[in-house]
Amino acid sequence: MTSTTSSPGIDEHPGLGPGRGRLEGKVAIITGANSGIGRATARLFAREGAKVVCVDLVEVITPRIDALIQSDGGEAVFFQADVTSAESCQGMVAQALESFGGLDILLNNAGTGIRGRVDQLDEADWKRLLDINLSSVFLGSKAALPHMMAQGRGSIINTASTFGLLATESYSAYCASKGGVVLLTRSMAIDYGPMGIRVNCVCPGATATPRLLRNLTQGKSPEDAEASIQAAAGINRCLLRLARPEEIAYGMLFLASDEASFVTGHALAVDGGQTIDA
Amino acid sequence: MTSQASSTSTDEHPMMGPGRGRLEGKVAVITGANSGIGRAAARLFAREGAKIVCVDMADVVAPRIDALIRSEGGEAVFFQADVTSSESCQGMVALALERFGGLDILLNNAGKTARGRVDVLSEEDWKGLLDVNLTSVFLGSKAVLPHMMAQGKGSIINTASTYGILATNDNAAYCSSKAGVILLTRSMAIDYGPMGIRVNCVCPGVTATPLLLGNIARRGVPIEEIAKKNRCLQRAAMPEEIAYGMLFLASDEASFVTGHALALDGGQTIQA
C-alpha cells in the first residue's frame, strides 16, 4: 500500500499475456485490489473477460486499478472499504450485484504483515493482524455465500502464504493468520462443496510486491538493499528469485476459472519450490 | 488400456473447451496418451497449439489419439513404446526432436494398478508396478533432461495420485509408487530448478477413466460408491478436468510453480 506511481510508458505487468476469454461473463470481487498481487490479479481477470469490483482501503497508487483496467478496455468499479468490517463486506457484494448483476468469484486477498516473536508482539497488534488477514476471509465469504448458495455455484479464492504452510522466525502472527486461512479454506470447501461452491487458496512465496520491496529495502544503502533482496530470493533454492505478482495472478486465474472445476480445498503453492525443500 | 471404441456420435471429452493458444509453439511428449487422463491431456495440449508425441504401449482404443488430434486440425505422432525401457524413453525423445525439432514439455503419465495388501501381493507384481509407475518417471525424465538442461528450460509433469498423499486399503504397491512419484518430483524440482526446468505433479482423485470404470465393474462396485469418498464435490472427475490442471503446470503461466503436487481431487485429500 505504498504511494508509488507507475512510470509512464513502462507497463507495470510485463508478465501478463493477452486475454483469452477464460473468465468471459463472470463477475469477480477482489480485495486488496489496488496494489501488489491483488492489482495484477484484478488486471488479469479483467483481461480474461471478468467484470471486477476492486476493493481496497487506499487508493493512493495511480492509476487506480479500476482506471488501469478501463484503460485496457475492461470493466471495473472501485469500492473503497475496510475488509475487517462486516458492513463493508456486505457492501462490496451489494456493489457487484448492483453494478454487474451477479457474482461468480470472490478473491479474499487483502492482507498485511507484522514482524515479531510472541514475547514482542502486543495483544492489540496480534488481534489487528488476525482481523485483517483471517477474519476478513470469514467476513468476505460470509457476505458472498448466501448469493453463491442461492445460485448453486461460485469460486472463492483466498490468499494464504508459504508462511501458512511452514513457519519462519519473528513472524508469528502472520504465520498463524495464514495457517488459519489454509484451514478455513479447507473447512469451507467441505461445507460448501455439495452446494457447488469451490473454495481454494494460493500460497505465494516471496513476491516482488511494493510492500515486500519496501520492507526489504527501507532505510538501507543501495548495496544493502540489493543484498537484502537477494537473501529473500535465496529462500527458494529451486528458482532462486522472487516471484512477479503476475505469476501469482495466473495461479489465481486457474482456480477462479471453470477449468478448475474439480479443484477444491487446495492450497496451490506458487512459490518456486520454497515449501518442498527440507 | 481397454479396447473401448469411442462412440462416433458423442464427443468423448464434453468438458473440453476450444483451444486458446496457451501452448503455441511448444512440443510435448505424453506417455499413456492413448487412454484416460493421458488421452484427454494429449487432445487438450494439441488444441492449445502444442505438437504432441503420443506414447502408449497399446493402440487398441479407437480412434488412436494421434488420429483424434489430427481430425481436429492438430499435430501429433504416435510412438508405441514400453516406458519401463530406457531405450524406449530415449526413442520417444529422439522422435520429438526429429519430427518437431524440439521438446518443451514431458508428461510422465503412463501407469497402472495392482490391488492387494502386502501379504497378498507377489514380489513380482510389486516390482512390476514400481517399474511402470515410478521407474518410468525416472527413465522418461532421464531421457529428456539432457535436452532441457542444454536449452535451459522445460516443464516436466508427472501423474501422481491422491493415493500418493493418503493411503487406502488393498492398494499398497500403488500408494507406495505414487508417493514415490511425488517425492521424485520434488527432488527433481530442487535439482533442476536452477537450470530453468520446472517439475510438478498432479494428484488426481477418482477419475472416470476406462481403467477405473473397468476395474470397478469387475469388482461390482458402482462408481457412485467410489465417488462418495469425496465429501466435497461428491462425484468422480472427468479426464478433461485433470487435463486442465496439467495444462496449467505445462504452460508458462505456471512459471513460478515447481515441486508442487497439484491436487485435482474434488477435496478428497483435505478431510480428516
Side-chain angles (χ1 to χ4, degrees):
Chain A
M1 308 204 188
T2 48
S3 56
T4 30
T5 302
S6 57
S7 329
I10 298 171
D11 188 275
E12 62 179 294
H13 298 121
L16 287 190
R20 298 175 191 270
R22 291 164 64 190
L23 298 180
E24 209 60 59
K26 307 275 190 191
V27 177
I29 292 175
I30 299 181
T31 71
N34 207 35
S35 78
I37 292 170
R39 184 173 174 92
T41 306
R43 195 176 183 193
L44 176 61
F45 281 20
R47 280 202 190 168
E48 294 292 340
K51 296 169 184 168
V52 185
V53 177
C54 302
V55 182
D56 212 314
L57 191 69
V58 292
E59 49 174 327
V60 288
I61 300 178
T62 58
R64 208 173 61 182
I65 180 60
D66 53 323
L68 182 62
I69 287 172
Q70 283 149 13
S71 74
D72 281 347
E75 280 192 70
V77 294
F78 190 80
F79 187 74
Q80 188 162 9
D82 177 350
V83 289
T84 65
S85 142
E87 291 69 30
S88 292
C89 288
Q90 284 154 12
M92 71 191 187
V93 171
Q95 177 83 62
L97 298 176
E98 187 191 308
S99 295
F100 300 131
L103 177 55
D104 305 283
I105 298 158
L106 169 64
L107 171 51
N108 289 304
N109 169 75
T112 189
I114 183 171
R115 298 202 67 85
R117 306 187 314 210
V118 167
D119 66 290
Q120 297 159 338
L121 276 176
D122 68 39
E123 187 181 344
D125 285 344
W126 160 266
K127 286 191 172 160
R128 178 78 189 138
L129 191 102
L130 285 189
D131 263 1
I132 295 173
N133 285 9
L134 181 54
S135 294
S136 62
V137 177
F138 174 84
L139 293 173
S141 304
K142 201 172 171 66
L145 280 164
H147 173 75
M148 290 183 174
M149 289 161 73
Q151 73 187 4
R153 64 190 162 75
S155 176
I156 297 177
I157 304 121
N158 304 317
T159 301
S161 171
T162 51
F163 293 139
L165 301 171
L166 300 174
T168 188
E169 78 281 359
S170 299
Y171 218 28
S172 47
Y174 188 84
C175 289
S177 71
K178 294 298 190 179
V181 170
V182 175
L183 268 283
L184 178 56
T185 298
R186 292 183 177 161
S187 299
M188 292 198 292
I190 291 172
D191 290 338
Y192 300 105
M195 304 178 202
I197 302 166
R198 296 183 299 106
V199 189
N200 293 285
C201 62
V202 172
C203 296
T207 305
T209 59
R211 181 163 66 82
L212 179 76
L213 294 175
R214 189 183 63 235
N215 287 346
L216 291 173
T217 61
Q218 213 162 34
K220 292 179 179 157
S221 70
E223 297 75 33
D224 288 353
E226 183 56 31
S228 175
I229 289 171
Q230 286 309 317
I235 287 184
N236 157 0
R237 280 202 297 150
C238 296
L239 299 190
L240 305 167
R241 63 177 176 86
L242 301 176
R244 295 184 303 267
E246 301 96 293
E247 295 179 290
I248 313 302
Y250 274 106
M252 308 264 194
L253 170 62
F254 171 65
L255 294 174
S257 78
D258 292 338
E259 295 171 12
S261 50
F262 205 65
V263 183
T264 195
H266 190 57
L268 178 64
V270 183
D271 69 351
Q274 183 191 337
T275 52
I276 61 164
D277 207 347
Chain B
M1 310 208 187
T2 47
S3 58
Q4 173 197 291
S6 62
S7 143
T8 46
S9 54
T10 49
D11 188 279
E12 60 180 298
H13 299 120
M15 292 181 79
M16 195 175 293
R20 298 173 192 270
R22 291 163 66 191
L23 298 180
E24 209 60 59
K26 308 274 192 193
V27 176
V29 170
I30 300 180
T31 72
N34 206 37
S35 78
I37 291 170
R39 185 174 173 91
R43 192 179 185 187
L44 177 62
F45 283 23
R47 277 199 191 172
E48 295 291 342
K51 296 168 185 169
I52 319 283
V53 175
C54 303
V55 182
D56 212 312
M57 197 154 71
D59 58 5
V60 288
V61 180
R64 207 174 62 182
I65 179 62
D66 54 322
L68 180 63
I69 287 172
R70 283 194 295 267
S71 76
E72 42 189 40
E75 281 191 68
V77 292
F78 189 79
F79 186 70
Q80 188 161 7
D82 176 351
V83 289
T84 64
S85 141
S86 70
E87 289 71 29
S88 292
C89 290
Q90 285 155 12
M92 72 192 186
V93 171
L95 181 57
L97 298 176
E98 181 195 311
R99 189 64 69 93
F100 298 132
L103 179 49
D104 306 283
I105 299 158
L106 169 64
L107 173 50
N108 287 306
N109 169 74
K112 68 168 189 178
T113 59
R115 292 194 62 83
R117 306 185 314 208
V118 169
D119 65 291
V120 174
L121 273 177
S122 70
E123 185 180 348
E124 191 188 357
D125 285 349
W126 162 266
K127 287 189 176 163
L129 191 103
L130 286 189
D131 261 3
V132 173
N133 285 8
L134 181 53
T135 302
S136 63
V137 177
F138 173 83
L139 293 175
S141 303
K142 201 171 172 68
V144 82
L145 280 164
H147 172 74
M148 289 184 173
M149 288 161 75
Q151 73 187 2
K153 64 187 168 67
S155 176
I156 297 176
I157 305 118
N158 303 318
T159 300
S161 170
T162 51
Y163 293 141
I165 298 172
L166 301 173
T168 186
N169 60 292
D170 298 298
N171 224 353
Y174 187 82
C175 289
S176 306
S177 71
K178 293 300 189 179
V181 170
I182 296 174
L183 268 284
L184 178 56
T185 298
R186 292 183 177 162
S187 298
M188 291 197 292
I190 291 172
D191 289 337
Y192 301 104
M195 304 177 202
I197 302 166
R198 297 183 299 104
V199 188
N200 293 284
C201 62
V202 295
C203 295
V206 176
T207 305
T209 60
L211 180 72
L212 177 90
L213 296 173
N215 283 346
I216 64 177
R218 271 194 299 280
R219 287 158 53 207
V221 184
I223 193 161
E224 293 75 22
E225 193 69 27
I226 309 271
K228 266 194 298 191
K229 286 200 173 180
N230 163 354
R231 280 199 293 151
C232 295
L233 300 189
Q234 305 179 343
R235 64 177 175 89
M238 296 290 279
E240 303 94 287
E241 295 180 289
I242 311 304
Y244 273 108
M246 294 169 161
L247 170 63
F248 170 65
L249 295 173
S251 78
D252 293 337
E253 294 172 11
S255 51
F256 206 65
V257 183
T258 194
H260 190 58
L262 178 64
L264 301 161
D265 69 351
Q268 185 191 341
T269 53
I270 63 166
Q271 294 173 38

